Amino acid sequence: MFFHTYKSKYFLWAILLSMVSNSLAQSFQIVVDSDEIEIPLEEDYQILAQAVDAQNQVIPEVNFSFYSSASQILKVDKKGLITPLKPGQGNVIIIGRLEGIKEYQRLNLWVNVKHSEVKDLKIMNLPSEIFAGQRIGLEVQLLDLQNYEISNPNLIFESSDVSVASIDIFGNITAHQKGKTVIKVSVGKISTEMVIAVKKNPVASIRLSSNVQEAVTGEVVYFDAQAFDNEEKIIEAIPFVFSFSGVSESPSEYASGMIKNNGNFVADVPGIYTVVSAFGGREARRTLQVSARNVTEKVVLKGHGSVSNVHTSDLWVWEGVDGKDYCVTGTWGGNGEAYFWDVTDPNYLVPIDTIRVDARTVNDVKVSQDGKICVISREGASNRKNGLVIIDVSNPHDAVIISTYDEGLTGGVHNVFIYNDHIYALSNGERYDVINIADPKYPKKVGTFELDEPGHSIHDVWVDNGIAYSSNWAYGVWMVDVGNGMAGGSPSNPKPIANYAYPSGWNHAAFPYHDKKTGKFYVIAGDEAFPNGLNTEDGPTIPAGFLHIIDFTDLEHPVEVAKYEVPGAGSHNLWVEGDLLYVGNYNAGLRVVDLSGDLMGDLYKQGREIAWFLPTDAKGRIPNAPMTWGPQPHKGHVFFTDWNSGLWSVKIDFKKPKNTKLEKR
């Protein structure tokens, strides 16, 4: 029943994998007609699964469960009927369980949902005129009958006059001399073509400048190229090509970084870098010295509230109405407990009260802005009436349940948020409902937000300044007006503002960040994935995923500009205060990252990590297996929970002077 109500897609997949890894010796195996399936978009497919013993005899007592690893691509029902939703690839996981025996077997079916016939082939954004010596990549769009774009098609490229302009097998056009040629693109029986004219190259020389000559790793340097003709007149709108090379300070590592088409450059490691701007056989160079960012600080352990009988989930720290500081933590896979702590002295995290509800997991906990109301989520209730529990925490030493709310939430509430007398509660992993708690004794649903997309799902919601940021797995981050006024929305009438999705489909959490110095507005989107399974009983877990930094300054054209990825680890919850990013990086512990200035490229490689702390507890739920869940900075300290060891508090010792080169800018 717990697995029936648990709707976090990737977490569920991980749990199932861990069940298999902890099973007893095999006594049967799952067999199907084929473990690789191709389905046309318009057709369903019935999986025929059987369990057989060592003698290849069918075991009818085995029960099967079916799960889709890519719910936006395909869905599968309880009987194994696959319904394609859109073209793409994914897996159907089959779990077979033999009644009365603690044994599970797993089988992965690879499913390819095929495109329908090709309908349209277009050449995109190719100028009608280019210059001799210029090289340009051809962009092509191929659509099927349902208007789904076909990626990586086997295209054939041709030029009618290769002496004027040639094109290679990858669609790169090189202009050679003045004249005209026809560029043709074909796939199968469908083709399209375009005439381009090659003109004489007017550029006689290029000059390259930069805003600085010395920088630090992670600092974005702005290079500006200008083209001049034979009369030293500036030629506007030249599409320069930028590149770079470098020599690292350290012989043990390569110089690396990133440069964009607009000339913005960032270096990952210290060294000497040369940036080149080129066009039509002309080029200009400029050299840049890059030193180490040098922002690492010491983390000082202050307190630890050990929890070893159960896994610990999320936390919320707040100042109580009495002026003291308190924290509430949830529990995962236990007996529905939420623990309350006095954390006024961060050196001593003192448990002061416990609330127990009918649930296996209290995944999320939040407290209102005035410090009086706490809400906790419920999953895995014995009567399947999962939902919310609203608690009076005016006196956290004697927390009192005020009311419960489960209308429409019986599929399980995974995450919640309190904002301006409203609770935003996930329902069944499909949507979030908005519940008014102006009178917490009588909560009332006033609104809801749900995507109208095939196989849609949701994991989290965070509300700030009247905007709800929801994390919708494959459909990415959604900004929704719930009172900001930007799109005319309200709690009872949520209105979408903008959204951004990335290919992995692992979007699990989101946090907004306004950089006051640069004026940029970012949403930091965190992944969650367990490709190696989730170990719930013994031994460490090695997750995957990272943080995607998305520039939402132009709401109509959000763009992913940077990432933060700790090698060999996975991200979870995050928080931003000032220009510091705090991340619960699961097996990599607590991480603190410098977000100052423009952001571009790989923040981890650039040395923007200020501090890290790896919590280990020999008496933890899984001993000495860090699994940091979520951080929260509060009054100069950082509090965080660890899935295997409870509540922690640390302090960052900001004593080291900042890099003077960075400080001057």
Side-chain angles (χ1 to χ4, degrees):
M1 175 171 56
F2 171 66
F3 298 108
H4 174 76
T5 58
Y6 202 98
K7 300 300 290 186
S8 177
K9 178 173 56 177
Y10 295 99
F11 223 42
L12 171 59
W13 190 7
I15 293 168
L16 295 171
L17 290 172
S18 68
M19 289 162 48
V20 176
S21 66
N22 294 326
S23 67
L24 301 176
Q26 292 188 12
S27 64
F28 69 89
Q29 63 178 343
I30 301 171
V31 295
V32 292
D33 291 341
S34 173
D35 59 3
E36 295 186 1
I37 302 169
E38 285 197 337
I39 314 174
L41 183 59
E42 304 86 356
E43 297 181 12
D44 293 344
Y45 183 92
Q46 178 63 57
I47 300 172
L48 299 177
Q50 289 183 320
V52 298
D53 61 18
Q55 288 73 42
N56 207 33
Q57 298 297 309
V58 174
I59 306 174
E61 295 84 7
V62 172
N63 295 320
F64 296 105
S65 300
F66 303 88
Y67 303 92
S68 170
S69 70
S71 60
Q72 78 280 14
I73 302 295
L74 57 95
K75 63 180 181 179
V76 59
D77 67 13
K78 296 178 181 179
K79 296 182 179 180
L81 181 67
I82 300 174
T83 300
L85 301 175
K86 68 178 185 180
Q89 292 80 41
N91 287 308
V92 170
I93 305 111
I94 305 176
I95 301 295
R97 186 170 81 173
L98 186 60
E99 289 295 331
I101 298 178
K102 188 179 180 181
E103 181 182 348
Y104 302 86
Q105 296 300 327
R106 169 184 178 270
L107 182 67
N108 256 11
L109 299 184
W110 182 83
V111 181
N112 177 32
V113 180
K114 298 187 296 183
H115 285 273
S116 57
E117 294 182 10
V118 175
K119 178 185 73 173
D120 195 17
L121 176 62
K122 295 179 180 178
I123 295 175
M124 311 292 291
N125 302 322
L126 179 63
S128 58
E129 295 181 341
I130 59 176
F131 298 103
Q134 186 178 353
R135 183 177 171 87
I136 185 171
L138 195 63
E139 295 181 33
V140 177
Q141 184 183 69
L142 190 63
L143 300 177
D144 66 13
L145 291 174
Q146 284 77 32
N147 288 319
Y148 288 112
E149 187 170 352
I150 301 173
S151 59
N152 302 316
N154 294 316
L155 300 173
I156 297 175
F157 302 97
E158 300 173 77
S159 171
S160 64
D161 191 340
V162 295
S163 66
V164 173
S166 58
I167 185 167
D168 64 20
I169 61 173
F170 305 107
N172 296 309
I173 299 171
T174 302
H176 302 295
Q177 64 180 5
K178 184 177 179 180
K180 290 186 177 181
T181 186
V182 177
I183 299 297
K184 181 180 179 181
V185 184
S186 59
V187 56
K189 298 180 180 180
I190 295 181
S191 65
T192 187
E193 56 186 38
M194 182 174 175
V195 178
I196 59 170
V198 176
K199 301 176 68 176
K200 181 181 177 180
N201 187 356
V203 177
S205 63
I206 299 172
R207 296 172 192 171
L208 183 63
S209 61
S210 61
N211 63 320
V212 296
Q213 290 183 293
E214 296 182 4
V216 297
T217 55
E219 178 184 0
V220 178
V221 180
Y222 310 102
F223 286 87
D224 179 53
Q226 290 184 311
F228 296 86
D229 62 17
N230 288 323
E231 297 179 355
E232 287 292 302
K233 293 181 180 179
I234 294 178
I235 305 171
E236 303 290 348
I238 293 296
F240 295 102
V241 175
F242 290 91
S243 61
F244 75 92
S245 61
V247 178
S248 169
E249 281 186 0
S250 171
S252 63
E253 61 183 349
Y254 292 102
S256 64
M258 172 185 287
I259 195 162
K260 292 186 176 180
N261 290 335
N262 61 1
N264 291 357
F265 169 76
V266 65
D268 294 334
V269 301
I272 302 296
Y273 291 82
T274 299
V275 172
V276 180
S277 62
F279 179 82
R282 281 57 163 178
E283 66 177 37
R285 296 168 177 262
R286 191 168 180 84
T287 301
L288 177 74
Q289 181 176 352
V290 178
S291 60
R293 196 170 188 87
N294 193 28
V295 294
T296 304
E297 302 286 6
K298 182 180 180 181
V299 182
V300 180
L301 173 62
K302 291 297 183 178
H304 178 205
S306 181
V307 178
S308 59
N309 63 314
V310 68
H311 293 292
T312 300
S313 57
D314 211 356
L315 84 163
W316 194 267
V317 186
W318 80 100
E319 182 180 303
V321 295
D322 60 1
K324 294 184 177 181
D325 296 315
Y326 299 98
C327 179
V328 56
T329 60
T331 55
W332 189 96
N335 297 309
E337 295 173 327
Y339 300 140
F340 292 87
W341 309 74
D342 186 331
V343 297
T344 306
D345 182 349
N347 297 286
Y348 301 98
L349 311 180
V350 182
I352 54 176
D353 200 7
T354 300
I355 289 286
R356 177 174 290 178
V357 297
D358 182 7
R360 286 285 305 278
T361 291
V362 174
N363 192 75
D364 203 5
V365 294
K366 293 291 188 292
V367 176
S368 59
Q369 295 100 314
D370 61 9
K372 296 179 180 180
I373 300 296
C374 173
V375 60
I376 65 176
S377 66
R378 295 170 58 235
E379 294 177 283
S382 63
N383 59 3
R384 298 193 179 186
K385 288 188 177 182
N386 301 283
L388 307 174
V389 179
I390 300 167
I391 304 167
D392 181 352
V393 290
S394 298
N395 177 11
H397 292 266
D398 186 20
V400 178
I401 294 176
I402 301 173
S403 61
T404 61
Y405 186 88
D406 56 30
E407 182 180 344
L409 304 177
T410 55
V413 175
H414 195 59
N415 280 314
V416 298
F417 201 89
I418 297 181
Y419 182 81
N420 287 353
D421 290 334
H422 290 83
I423 296 174
Y424 295 77
L426 265 64
S427 176
N428 204 32
E430 298 170 345
R431 65 181 192 275
Y432 60 80
D433 289 343
V434 186
I435 296 109
N436 184 293
I437 55 167
D439 184 347
K441 293 182 180 179
Y442 303 101
K444 180 182 179 182
K445 177 182 173 181
V446 295
T448 191
F449 180 78
E450 182 172 3
L451 297 181
D452 184 19
E453 300 286 352
H456 65 271
S457 56
I458 186 171
H459 176 269
D460 199 5
V461 62
W462 188 275
V463 187
D464 179 63
N465 193 30
I467 298 174
Y469 300 84
S470 62
S471 299
N472 298 270
W473 294 118
Y475 289 103
V477 176
W478 281 73
M479 289 177 57
V480 179
D481 185 350
V482 292
N484 175 276
M486 184 182 301
S490 66
S492 59
N493 187 28
K495 293 287 188 179
I497 299 172
N499 73 286
Y500 178 86
Y502 44 88
S504 73
W506 292 347
N507 180 221
H508 162 276
F511 202 102
Y513 166 51
H514 296 262
D515 189 316
K516 295 180 180 178
K517 291 184 179 179
T518 66
K520 297 288 184 67
F521 169 53
Y522 301 96
V523 177
I524 303 176
D527 292 339
E528 182 183 62
F530 293 90
N532 305 299
L534 174 69
N535 197 334
T536 63
E537 297 299 329
D538 51 33
T541 294
I542 310 297
F546 55 90
L547 301 187
H548 306 249
I549 291 86
I550 306 157
D551 187 341
F552 269 89
T553 307
D554 181 351
L555 293 174
E556 294 185 358
H557 303 95
V559 58
E560 190 168 337
V561 295
K563 71 173 183 176
Y564 173 71
E565 181 176 13
V566 179
S571 64
H572 196 239
N573 289 350
L574 63 149
W575 196 292
V576 179
E577 183 177 74
D579 57 8
L580 295 182
L581 166 67
Y582 302 86
V583 192
N585 254 101
Y586 270 148
N587 55 316
L590 171 72
R591 301 281 169 150
V592 185
V593 184
D594 173 15
L595 294 181
S596 63
D598 277 337
L599 302 176
M600 176 177 158
D602 190 328
L603 306 188
Y604 180 84
K605 288 183 179 179
Q606 295 164 8
R608 281 181 172 266
E609 189 171 85
I610 288 177
W612 61 276
F613 180 83
L614 199 62
T616 56
D617 184 0
K619 298 180 180 180
R621 178 64 181 81
I622 298 179
N624 298 320
M627 195 68 168
T628 302
W629 184 287
Q632 183 181 343
H634 183 77
K635 296 184 179 180
H637 290 79
V638 184
F639 296 85
F640 65 91
T641 50
D642 186 90
W643 195 62
N644 287 326
S645 57
L647 178 64
W648 297 74
S649 66
V650 298
K651 187 174 180 63
I652 315 300
D653 190 4
F654 291 104
K655 290 183 179 179
K656 184 181 294 184
K658 290 187 177 180
N659 190 303
T660 54
K661 293 178 182 178
L662 186 64
E663 190 70 14
K664 289 178 181 179
R665 291 185 280 280

